[in-house]
Amino acid sequence: MGIEGNHAYSKTGNMDKLSTPPGFVSQTTFVLRNVHQDRESSRPGQVQEQITGFGMDDASFKLSLSSRPWIVHDDHTKPTSETLKPTKPEERERRIQRVSKNVTLEEAPVFNPTEEEFSDTLSYIATLRDKAEPYGICCVVPPPSWKPPCLLEEKEVWEVSKFDTQVQLFDAANDTTIKKEADDDDDDDNDDEDHTSEENVKFCRVERGPRKTLETFKNFADSYKKRHFSVEDEVLGSKSSSTPSLKQEPTVADVEKEYRQLVESPLVEIEVLYGNDLDTRTFSSGFPLPGASESCKYKTSGWNLNNTAKLPGSLLSYEDCESVGVPRLSVGMFLSSQLWKSEKDRLYSLCYLHVGAPRVWYSVAGCHRSKLMNLFPEMSGELQSKMSREPVMIMSPYALNMEGIPVTRCVQNPGQYVILFPGSCYSAVNCGFNCLEKANFAPIDWLPHGDVAVHQNQEKKKKSLISYDKILLGAAREAVKHLKEYSLSKKKTADNMRWLNACGKEGLFTSIVKSRVKQERSRRQFLASSLKSQRMDKSFDDVSKRECCFCFVDLHFSAVQCSCSDERFSCLSHVRNLCACPSGKKRFLYRYTIDELNVLVEALELQKLSAMFRWGNFDRNYYASSPGIKISQPGDKGKKADEVLPCSDNNNNTRKDVEAGGKEQGKTKVKARSVMEIMKGNDDESGHVQPCSNKPNKTCDGSAGNTAKKPKLG
């Protein structure tokens, strides 16, 4: 094709009246031919002809040729009025993703625990981590005796309770084309001159749907599924011999075949309903609630998702954020999908399918997460998105596998659990009506993942669900309490042994706390001499989580506040973004001095029993009477904020109080994957932490299981 040029038009726009300038009339005739450039003509040794100026298909260019008799066209005919009419630009057919029908995905591991193994939830999950974490997902089939009652099937819930649904709209026209670097071995016929290829990317629109009860939702879902397979010529425009008959229930393979057609090359518009992330406090949980008068193993077990988040050994016990501590319910139908996402703050997730048809999961392990984001950055929006009218990108798991991203497939049947590991990205499709319940939890080996989530959220200016520092400090108090108890009595209780295995000089928990204290010390060194320092009140963030006004990082350890606002704070890295006031009006708030935090590290290292008592005194005195300023909390409007207590006149004393700390300790060996390994996607098996405890707890009725009692802070 010719190279596009700039058109020069007369003021009147009449091309027939344009005359040839003097001296530019050709004395001889010549033939003007349209020569296309292709890959063959660009090879060395061949002559390449090119027309510069207007394109040959340009209507105005053809019109101008009619007043130049010395130009002979290659067809030896004079352009007619019909050929001079403007032509519509040629529409190139979008390329459909090149996904082979023979692509198979690797299956997720499936585990069948014994009654004894199943009795301790977190200890058993810890034994699976080395084998299952590289897949990002695994399935756990409970023992035959595990048959909890499903409260969702009770009449007052099934027929009366209503929930909001969302409409998932899959439309053949609702797609776009993205450019990617073409492979070197691309043998497809393509006239493009550059080395880029176009991929047809599908999007799904998510809109608000009607309110439904479980009964009406199931009736709609069953009718839709039956109609889809019985009248496939109306839905897909073709008949297939492999389509199941009306009397035959579609298999998982049949549903997956329809789903692949839907996300890879949809032919018509399809709308399905989905009830996503329903709050079990306002709707209902499928499990019995703990604390009722009648006690049984299903109410107290750790596999009851109402108990999972706050189990002994789950660090969410030290966080009061209800959004992660309360299970969520999902109600699905045929072809309704969980679009690609990952758990916020890289938390673990435990999912139980109560009733209904199977659910097919697709997972990309956390060690391959960066590949997914680098290859398809458009998908990063859905990883944390909520329902909106903006289209959300969908991607076939088989297409991702063809791009070199390992995708794991997992089929979950009713009565089975699925475990999602930290950092994994996942999607799912439902084979029919079903009800799934999900809860988050955070064992000790989650801490490196949580640290990575904090840094990434801070860089992207995204809010976190939980307070990482609050969890870390609360767990440290509990650890010191049990370490002191073990040092004095040598009692090998489950809690004592859990913290004994996680602490010590080479323990994972000690390493995480030491790294956080070192980071805090380096940040304080700059501020100690420039700002007034004040210990924050113990209720600084009791009512609500305090966040930096710029990057939204948690401020449980320290913060900066200006006298111009009682509700605005910043982290130590973004003091300049707090306000335009001079530094003399700003004050540095801290919870513990670096000296006190170093004593905490010594106590966790198990080197000095005296360090455990000293830390206990520091912590007890701080919570007994807080000498710092009190920050106004929500609900205190109208009350005057307390005045700042006077700081020491001696700046050196203030600096010592805030900045003080011992010499940096040597690096410790971590028993789990380090933060750097997680950032780099390294899943070295030598870096996994061992289970904290294999000792099962006893339920109130004498059967094995875990209680949901919240550990007391030390």
Side-chain angles (χ1 to χ4, degrees):
M1 298 292 292
I3 299 176
E4 190 173 349
N6 294 325
H7 294 240
Y9 297 97
S10 64
K11 293 183 179 180
T12 60
N14 191 344
M15 296 295 295
D16 294 329
K17 296 181 180 181
L18 289 177
S19 58
T20 306
F24 286 84
V25 178
S26 177
Q27 302 299 322
T28 60
T29 62
F30 61 90
V31 177
L32 185 64
R33 293 182 304 188
N34 186 6
V35 180
H36 291 273
Q37 282 185 267
D38 52 22
R39 292 183 177 179
E40 296 296 330
S41 62
S42 61
R43 294 179 180 176
Q46 295 187 359
V47 179
Q48 179 179 352
E49 298 184 62
Q50 182 177 359
I51 301 174
T52 60
F54 293 101
M56 286 295 298
D57 295 332
D58 194 296
S60 60
F61 180 57
K62 292 179 179 180
L63 191 62
S64 66
L65 295 182
S66 60
S67 60
R68 279 122 176 114
W70 57 85
I71 299 179
V72 181
H73 295 267
D74 54 354
D75 56 359
H76 301 283
T77 59
K78 187 176 181 179
T80 63
S81 59
E82 194 69 26
T83 60
L84 295 180
K85 290 183 178 180
T87 58
K88 295 182 179 180
E90 181 182 359
E91 295 184 1
R92 291 186 56 186
E93 183 180 359
R94 292 190 178 110
R95 288 183 53 188
I96 297 177
Q97 294 167 352
R98 297 168 297 170
V99 183
S100 172
K101 295 183 179 180
N102 299 324
V103 174
T104 57
L105 304 180
E106 191 168 6
E107 296 292 330
V110 180
F111 300 95
N112 296 270
T114 63
E115 294 280 356
E116 183 180 359
E117 293 173 334
F118 195 73
S119 62
D120 193 331
T121 308
L122 296 187
S123 294
Y124 177 69
I125 292 176
T127 63
L128 308 180
R129 191 166 68 91
D130 288 351
K131 299 178 181 178
E133 190 176 20
Y135 298 90
I137 190 174
C138 72
C139 182
V140 175
V141 181
S145 62
W146 180 257
K147 296 179 180 179
C150 182
L151 302 186
L152 300 176
E153 296 179 321
E154 294 184 353
K155 184 176 181 179
E156 56 269 21
V157 178
W158 185 264
E159 299 180 2
V160 179
S161 298
K162 290 188 176 182
F163 60 92
D164 293 322
T165 64
Q166 55 180 231
V167 179
Q168 294 182 339
L169 177 62
F170 299 89
D171 189 356
N174 191 24
D175 55 10
T176 188
T177 302
I178 61 174
K179 287 188 176 182
K180 294 171 35 191
E181 292 295 327
D183 298 332
D184 294 336
D185 56 351
D186 188 3
D187 296 332
D188 293 350
D189 295 334
N190 190 356
D191 294 335
D192 294 344
E193 297 178 10
D194 54 12
H195 296 282
T196 62
S197 64
E198 294 180 349
E199 294 292 344
N200 196 26
V201 178
K202 306 300 176 185
F203 285 84
C204 172
R205 291 206 310 269
V206 181
E207 300 177 352
R208 190 176 301 277
R211 288 178 61 83
K212 296 277 188 181
T213 64
L214 290 176
E215 182 181 37
T216 56
F217 190 98
K218 183 179 186 302
N219 293 337
F220 173 80
D222 292 343
S223 174
Y224 182 92
K225 183 177 181 180
K226 182 178 180 180
R227 185 171 64 253
H228 179 91
F229 283 106
S230 62
V231 198
E232 190 178 5
D233 56 336
E234 296 181 8
V235 178
L236 298 178
S238 62
K239 284 283 187 179
S240 174
S241 59
S242 61
T243 302
S245 63
L246 292 176
K247 298 181 180 179
Q248 180 183 356
E249 181 69 17
T251 63
V252 173
D254 295 328
V255 175
E256 281 195 281
K257 179 181 178 182
E258 299 294 321
Y259 182 66
R260 288 191 63 179
Q261 176 77 23
L262 188 65
V263 298
E264 292 175 7
S265 54
L267 302 178
V268 295
E269 180 180 289
I270 292 180
E271 291 184 5
V272 293
L273 297 181
Y274 188 38
N276 191 28
D277 280 342
L278 306 180
D279 193 331
T280 56
R281 294 169 300 178
T282 57
F283 187 75
S284 177
S285 170
F287 289 100
L289 295 176
S293 56
E294 183 182 355
S295 179
C296 65
K297 67 176 183 179
Y298 299 118
K299 292 183 179 180
T300 58
S301 172
W303 297 97
N304 181 333
L305 299 187
N306 293 297
N307 305 329
T308 306
K310 304 294 184 178
L311 282 175
S314 174
L315 300 179
L316 296 183
S317 302
Y318 313 106
E319 172 60 83
D320 297 328
C321 180
E322 295 181 348
S323 58
V324 294
V326 175
R328 317 295 290 188
L329 191 70
S330 296
V331 184
M333 63 172 287
F334 170 67
L335 291 182
S336 65
S337 308
Q338 171 60 71
L339 305 179
W340 284 99
K341 65 173 294 185
S342 66
E343 293 300 308
K344 288 189 176 181
D345 298 329
R346 294 178 172 243
L347 292 167
Y348 276 84
S349 185
L350 185 62
C351 311
Y352 182 76
L353 192 59
H354 285 286
V355 294
R359 179 181 174 102
V360 184
W361 297 79
Y362 305 100
S363 171
V364 175
C367 55
H368 302 296
R369 178 190 178 104
S370 59
K371 297 180 182 178
L372 181 63
M373 294 299 97
N374 292 336
L375 189 59
F376 296 102
E378 294 86 355
M379 296 182 65
S380 60
E382 168 56 16
L383 292 180
Q384 302 291 348
S385 71
K386 295 183 179 180
M387 184 178 65
S388 65
R389 294 185 178 274
E390 294 296 327
V392 178
M393 180 178 177
I394 57 177
M395 178 61 65
S396 166
Y398 297 89
L400 293 179
N401 198 75
M402 290 284 290
E403 295 289 348
I405 301 175
V407 179
T408 302
R409 174 181 177 270
C410 179
V411 179
Q412 182 184 17
N413 294 298
Q416 297 178 354
Y417 288 91
V418 158
I419 302 173
L420 298 170
F421 288 88
S424 63
C425 303
Y426 62 90
S427 68
V429 59
N430 299 299
C431 298
F433 170 80
N434 58 27
C435 297
L436 179 109
E437 193 166 348
K438 180 179 69 173
N440 295 113
F441 63 99
I444 296 177
D445 61 74
W446 164 82
L447 283 172
H449 298 276
D451 192 32
V452 171
V454 169
H455 287 87
Q456 290 183 342
N457 289 339
Q458 186 176 15
E459 291 177 358
K460 299 177 181 179
K461 298 181 178 62
K462 294 172 60 177
K463 292 188 176 184
S464 301
L465 279 179
I466 58 179
S467 171
Y468 178 81
D469 286 343
K470 189 175 185 179
I471 288 177
L472 193 64
L473 202 53
R477 294 192 189 99
E478 188 76 7
V480 172
K481 184 184 77 171
H482 287 287
L483 293 176
K484 184 167 59 175
E485 178 182 334
Y486 177 80
S487 300
L488 296 175
S489 64
K490 302 300 180 183
K491 292 182 180 179
K492 296 185 178 180
T493 63
D495 290 334
N496 290 349
M497 298 310 297
R498 180 187 304 113
W499 290 113
L500 186 65
N501 292 334
C503 297
K505 247 194 165 180
E506 297 184 355
L508 167 65
F509 186 71
T510 304
S511 175
I512 293 293
V513 174
K514 183 185 295 186
S515 174
R516 181 66 184 91
V517 172
K518 178 183 176 182
Q519 180 187 75
E520 186 73 11
R521 179 173 61 245
S522 64
R523 291 177 177 176
R524 292 188 186 186
Q525 286 176 350
F526 173 75
L527 292 174
S529 59
S530 59
L531 298 180
K532 295 179 181 179
S533 302
Q534 183 66 51
R535 192 186 293 269
M536 64 176 58
D537 189 83
K538 61 182 179 182
S539 59
F540 175 71
D541 55 356
D542 282 353
V543 177
S544 60
K545 184 161 67 82
R546 298 292 185 178
E547 299 171 328
C548 174
C549 62
F550 183 76
C551 66
F552 302 109
V553 74
D554 174 53
L555 302 177
H556 186 72
F557 264 20
S558 57
V560 176
Q561 186 189 26
C562 183
S563 58
C564 68
S565 175
D566 292 333
E567 296 295 333
R568 188 175 173 87
F569 305 89
S570 78
C571 65
L572 306 188
S573 301
H574 298 113
V575 179
R576 295 182 178 180
N577 301 99
L578 178 60
C579 62
C581 298
S583 59
K585 291 187 176 183
K586 296 182 176 67
R587 57 200 175 201
F588 166 60
L589 310 178
Y590 63 95
R591 190 173 295 272
Y592 295 100
T593 66
I594 295 298
D595 272 339
E596 292 168 347
L597 293 176
N598 284 334
V599 172
L600 173 61
V601 173
E602 290 180 8
L604 295 176
E605 288 180 340
L606 297 173
Q607 290 187 334
K608 297 179 181 179
L609 183 61
S610 60
M612 302 178 190
F613 285 96
R614 291 172 60 197
W615 166 254
N617 292 334
F618 291 148
D619 195 52
R620 183 166 52 253
N621 293 336
Y622 172 67
Y623 278 88
S625 59
S626 178
I629 63 172
K630 181 178 180 181
I631 307 301
S632 59
Q633 300 286 354
D636 292 343
K637 293 183 178 180
K639 298 181 182 180
K640 186 176 180 180
D642 294 345
E643 296 293 336
V644 182
L645 295 181
C647 298
S648 173
D649 293 334
N650 189 342
N651 188 59
N652 293 332
N653 293 338
T654 304
R655 182 182 185 117
K656 290 180 181 179
D657 181 54
V658 179
E659 181 189 348
K663 294 182 179 180
E664 181 182 349
Q665 302 292 335
K667 295 182 179 179
T668 59
K669 296 181 180 179
V670 184
K671 293 184 179 180
R673 293 172 60 193
S674 66
V675 174
M676 293 305 298
E677 288 176 330
I678 295 175
M679 296 290 286
K680 295 178 180 178
N682 183 6
D683 56 347
D684 184 7
E685 295 183 358
S686 63
H688 290 295
V689 69
Q690 298 299 324
C692 297
S693 174
N694 293 322
K695 183 177 180 180
N697 297 328
K698 296 293 181 180
T699 60
C700 51
D701 61 351
S703 60
N706 286 329
T707 61
K709 295 181 179 179
K710 182 177 178 179
K712 297 180 180 179
L713 296 179

